[in-house]
Amino acid sequence: NVSTKTVRVIGAPSVDFSAESLCDEQGVRLRANIAGTSTEDPIIEYDWTIAGVERPDNTPTFDFLAANGSYSVQLRIRTALGGIY
């Protein structure tokens, strides 16, 4: 006997972000730009890391006060089916 099933593979989303208000001593707003998400595997978590420090905020938009300088920023998302991007 042969068992045949159809398996659907959900594509990975494209993760990007933008930054607004980049003046010294002003708040900076980071905004997630996620493309290719699926209603079958929605985003459940947004992990922002700024200058090597993980931020507790779990939203697609994150605000922080920035002094003059350069900051390394990372955005990682987690989906309901366990994908990490």
Side-chain angles (χ1 to χ4, degrees):
N1 281 343
V2 174
S3 177
T4 303
K5 295 183 181 190
T6 301
V7 176
R8 183 168 184 266
V9 177
I10 299 171
S14 172
V15 180
D16 196 9
F17 63 89
S18 60
E20 303 166 5
S21 298
L22 298 176
C23 295
D24 187 30
E25 300 298 332
Q26 289 188 6
V28 175
R29 171 161 285 174
L30 302 172
R31 186 180 311 276
N33 302 315
I34 313 297
T37 58
S38 166
T39 56
E40 297 171 54
D41 189 20
I43 298 169
I44 59 168
E45 190 173 301
Y46 295 83
D47 294 323
W48 293 97
T49 301
I50 301 169
V53 178
E54 290 186 28
R55 303 302 178 168
D57 200 52
N58 185 26
T59 62
T61 302
F62 182 78
D63 295 328
F64 73 101
L65 183 62
N68 189 25
S70 298
Y71 298 84
S72 171
V73 177
Q74 179 184 39
L75 170 61
R76 182 175 43 237
I77 62 167
R78 188 178 315 262
T79 65
L81 295 178
I84 299 173
Y85 306 97

